[in-house]
Amino acid sequence: MMSWPALYTQLVGANRHSTSLGKIWLSVLFIFRVMVLMVAAESVWGDEQADFTCNTLQPGCENVCYDQFFPVSHIRLWCLQLLFVSTPTLLIAMHVAYRNHRDKKRLLQASRRAAFLSSKSQLEQEEELESLKKRKLPIAGSFWWTYAFSILCRLLFEGGFMYVLYVLYDGFRMPRLVRCDQWPCPNLVDCFVSRPTEKTVFTVFMATASSLCMVLNMAELTYLIAKSIQNTLWRESTEIEQ
Amino acid sequence: MTLKPPAEPEVEPKMNWASFYTVISGVNRHSTGIGRIWLSVLFIFRILVLVVAAETVWGDEKSGFTCNTQQPGCESVCYDHFFPISHIRLWALQLILVSTPALLVAMHVAHRRHIDKRICKLSGKTSPKDLELIKTQKMKITGALWWTYVISLAFRILFEVTFMYLFYMIYPGYKMIRLVKCDSYPCPNTVDCFVSRPTEKTVFTVFMLAVSGLCILLNIAEVVFLVAKAYTKHLSKTGDATIGDWLRHKL
């Protein structure tokens, strides 16, 4: 069954080709966001609808008021955010798989030709294939573009979801009391949210972790661009020398 | 009475602490003996106790919190006033934050291995056997790694103490009170509210506090051990008898 640990295994596989900042980003994502979400935040929001009480006996009023003030729960928004933010890394994994497949084909063709000319043993061929699988791809050429695009997507998703949360809930604070007069509520009723302070603490915590991840992504993008400019300048200077 | 959805199976949270354990225990190989004891204490007496015992004690903390009033919303508000953040969540955050500095050490070790591999390749030893040896050898805690290790220990102690202080600030005295008196809106007057399982909660709070104190002592002992080991190594190498000279050499 698909679950967070399964996603973690997928992402760690692509992690090998990341920069150090990318590896730090993955650890921050899984320890400070996914783990905290699973072991702490979910139990805080667990009784959000059951314990949402309105000062009325009118049936249906609580349901309607809860739906008006909490269109999408924080937990669901965070789950979606984490899924969307993790997905661009799969682009990297796909590119690596494509490259490996292409290089393997080339290697097999070359070795078949070489086997006619020299006696290259089966063992050597297998060793070469294994080293092909285990090597770390340098971040250059089309792989650089895929990597940079994936970081850009991550940034967009993080920013987008944080903005949606901020707009839906008017800030990161959970109010203790909301006033509601949707039909079938008979008049303006007081409705009380369960555990508002604890929810505010966790919302601020998750927003901070999200900002930290955005900072790491921006730093990684800057590093990639700087490295690429440096490489281009170095190559030009060696060409000029020649 | 509203129908509550059936409780989620406990597999998911345990799976996450278990995957957390695999990540953190990987650092174990590069720890000192005291560090390994600390890790075992952390996992057996804190994380395991939290998951199998404490979470059930605090499980009904909100549903079992009863106020002597029929005013809707009064219980919710009073609960929020007296329990801004639950003990369980504070402990979970404390355990996550306290375990994370160990990852600094893991990152440093990985970085050192990467450099060793590069040196090996440059010197011509590229056989898979040599590379495997680099992967599996235990790193000696010297040089920059010593500093990373000591800094990670300092952060651990800092986080532990900070959370103990936070606990004391939010819940003075570490004791769980049986009765709280509350008069926040919409409670009509000062109502009596009763906390569920106060004695059991006090027992577990004191237990977790004692184990936290033990962990702090283990971390301090580890720092002292590392400093003493480095100093004796320096003494045997150079014969300098003054601590001043050793500090100057280290810094």
Side-chain angles (χ1 to χ4, degrees):
Chain A
M1 196 181 105
M2 200 56 194
S3 59
W4 290 115
L7 181 69
Y8 178 73
T9 358
Q10 290 281 328
L11 293 180
V12 155
N15 205 21
R16 272 192 321 129
H17 309 279
S18 303
T19 60
S20 316
L21 281 169
K23 290 174 186 164
I24 296 173
W25 170 83
L26 191 72
S27 308
V28 169
L29 186 85
F30 270 91
I31 296 176
F32 291 105
R33 295 174 75 181
V34 178
M35 258 225 90
V36 168
L37 185 81
M38 295 243 66
V39 309
E42 278 197 348
S43 42
V44 176
W45 268 267
D47 59 359
E48 54 177 330
Q49 212 200 341
D51 272 356
F52 183 78
T53 350
C54 290
N55 189 6
T56 179
L57 286 177
Q58 172 64 45
C61 180
E62 276 179 12
N63 271 17
V64 164
C65 293
Y66 176 80
D67 187 60
Q68 187 195 11
F69 287 98
F70 304 103
V72 183
S73 170
H74 288 65
I75 296 283
R76 259 70 71 186
L77 274 175
W78 285 326
C79 280
L80 284 173
Q81 180 179 21
L82 291 169
L83 282 171
F84 272 85
V85 154
S86 313
T87 332
T89 315
L90 296 177
L91 277 176
I92 299 173
M94 284 195 283
H95 191 128
V96 167
Y98 163 73
R99 266 277 189 99
N100 280 347
H101 176 77
R102 193 188 64 182
D103 292 346
K104 196 169 149 188
K105 249 181 156 178
R106 279 198 199 147
L107 191 75
L108 283 170
Q109 280 176 352
S111 69
R112 252 179 256 137
R113 257 182 272 130
F116 275 125
L117 305 170
S118 69
S119 53
K120 208 175 192 184
S121 72
Q122 185 76 8
L123 193 68
E124 279 178 25
Q125 280 183 33
E126 281 178 11
E127 262 183 37
E128 273 186 39
L129 279 171
E130 270 307 303
S131 70
L132 190 88
K133 263 196 225 166
K134 287 196 184 143
R135 65 143 183 211
K136 184 184 156 169
L137 273 175
I139 304 176
S142 63
F143 189 50
W144 186 95
W145 284 103
T146 312
Y147 201 92
F149 179 69
S150 79
I151 297 179
L152 206 66
C153 284
R154 272 185 227 164
L155 275 170
L156 281 170
F157 288 138
E158 290 271 22
F161 273 94
M162 287 237 304
Y163 177 72
V164 164
L165 191 77
Y166 190 83
V167 160
L168 268 181
Y169 293 103
D170 226 359
F172 295 125
R173 207 177 149 271
M174 180 65 79
R176 196 183 261 191
L177 160 70
V178 292
R179 294 202 145 92
C180 166
D181 66 349
Q182 294 282 304
W183 187 86
C185 303
N187 46 33
L188 192 74
V189 299
D190 290 338
C191 292
F192 300 91
V193 180
S194 95
R195 309 178 203 254
T197 315
E198 206 165 359
K199 287 179 181 172
T200 308
V201 166
F202 275 96
T203 310
V204 168
F205 181 91
M206 293 295 270
T208 314
S210 182
S211 317
L212 174 65
C213 283
M214 281 178 79
V215 165
L216 283 168
N217 284 330
M218 283 194 276
E220 199 179 359
L221 195 63
T222 318
Y223 166 75
L224 278 178
I225 294 174
K227 202 166 130 186
S228 161
I229 293 175
Q230 195 189 49
N231 279 344
T232 327
L233 287 173
W234 179 81
R235 235 183 296 135
E236 278 175 9
S237 72
T238 48
E239 277 174 17
I240 288 169
E241 273 173 29
Q242 283 168 10
Chain B
M1 175 139 142
T2 47
L3 281 168
K4 285 211 168 85
E8 287 265 315
E10 286 294 339
V11 183
E12 274 297 337
K14 281 204 189 108
M15 251 164 77
N16 269 288
W17 280 119
S19 44
F20 187 64
Y21 173 75
T22 29
V23 171
I24 298 292
S25 64
V27 189
N28 217 9
R29 276 196 314 136
H30 311 285
S31 304
T32 60
I34 305 178
R36 290 180 196 167
I37 297 173
W38 170 85
L39 198 72
S40 308
V41 167
L42 185 87
F43 276 97
I44 298 174
F45 292 104
R46 295 174 79 177
I47 294 182
L48 202 62
V49 166
L50 184 82
V51 170
V52 308
E55 280 191 351
T56 32
V57 174
W58 268 267
D60 63 354
E61 56 177 334
K62 187 139 193 296
S63 53
F65 184 80
T66 345
C67 290
N68 188 5
T69 179
Q70 294 220 325
Q71 172 63 44
C74 178
E75 276 178 13
S76 216
V77 164
C78 292
Y79 176 82
D80 184 61
H81 185 259
F82 285 98
F83 302 103
I85 178 163
S86 168
H87 289 64
I88 294 284
R89 256 72 68 183
L90 272 176
W91 285 326
L93 282 175
Q94 180 180 16
L95 290 169
I96 291 173
L97 281 174
V98 151
S99 314
T100 335
L103 295 176
L104 277 177
V105 174
M107 286 196 276
H108 193 132
V109 166
H111 173 75
R112 251 214 203 165
R113 282 224 176 98
H114 179 75
I115 296 200
D116 285 348
K117 250 195 205 166
R118 264 206 185 153
I119 294 173
C120 238
K121 282 198 182 138
L122 284 171
S123 65
K125 293 187 261 169
T126 50
S127 75
K129 220 180 176 182
D130 286 323
L131 295 171
E132 269 304 306
L133 193 71
I134 293 176
K135 255 197 218 175
T136 50
Q137 79 180 157
K138 182 185 156 163
M139 288 277 159
K140 278 212 155 127
I141 304 176
T142 50
L145 186 62
W146 186 93
W147 281 105
T148 311
Y149 202 92
V150 170
I151 290 171
S152 82
L153 283 172
F155 270 111
R156 268 187 226 169
I157 298 172
L158 182 73
F159 288 142
E160 292 271 22
V161 170
T162 310
F163 270 91
M164 280 191 32
Y165 178 71
L166 256 172
F167 250 105
Y168 190 76
M169 291 296 290
I170 302 175
Y171 300 107
Y174 298 117
K175 188 173 174 292
M176 184 59 80
I177 24 189
R178 200 178 263 189
L179 160 72
V180 293
K181 283 174 152 57
C182 167
D183 67 350
S184 322
Y185 176 83
C187 304
N189 45 35
T190 306
V191 298
D192 290 339
C193 293
F194 301 90
V195 180
S196 94
R197 311 177 203 256
T199 314
E200 203 167 2
K201 287 180 179 169
T202 308
V203 166
F204 274 96
T205 308
V206 169
F207 177 86
M208 293 294 268
L209 184 78
V211 183
S212 183
L214 172 67
C215 284
I216 293 177
L217 285 174
L218 283 169
N219 286 328
I220 294 174
E222 203 176 356
V223 173
V224 166
F225 169 74
L226 281 173
V227 167
K229 200 168 126 184
Y231 182 57
T232 45
K233 213 175 175 185
H234 177 81
L235 271 184
S236 63
K237 249 199 275 174
T238 61
D240 278 349
T242 57
I243 296 181
D245 282 328
W246 173 73
L247 279 172
R248 244 175 275 127
H249 170 80
K250 260 291 175 199
L251 295 165

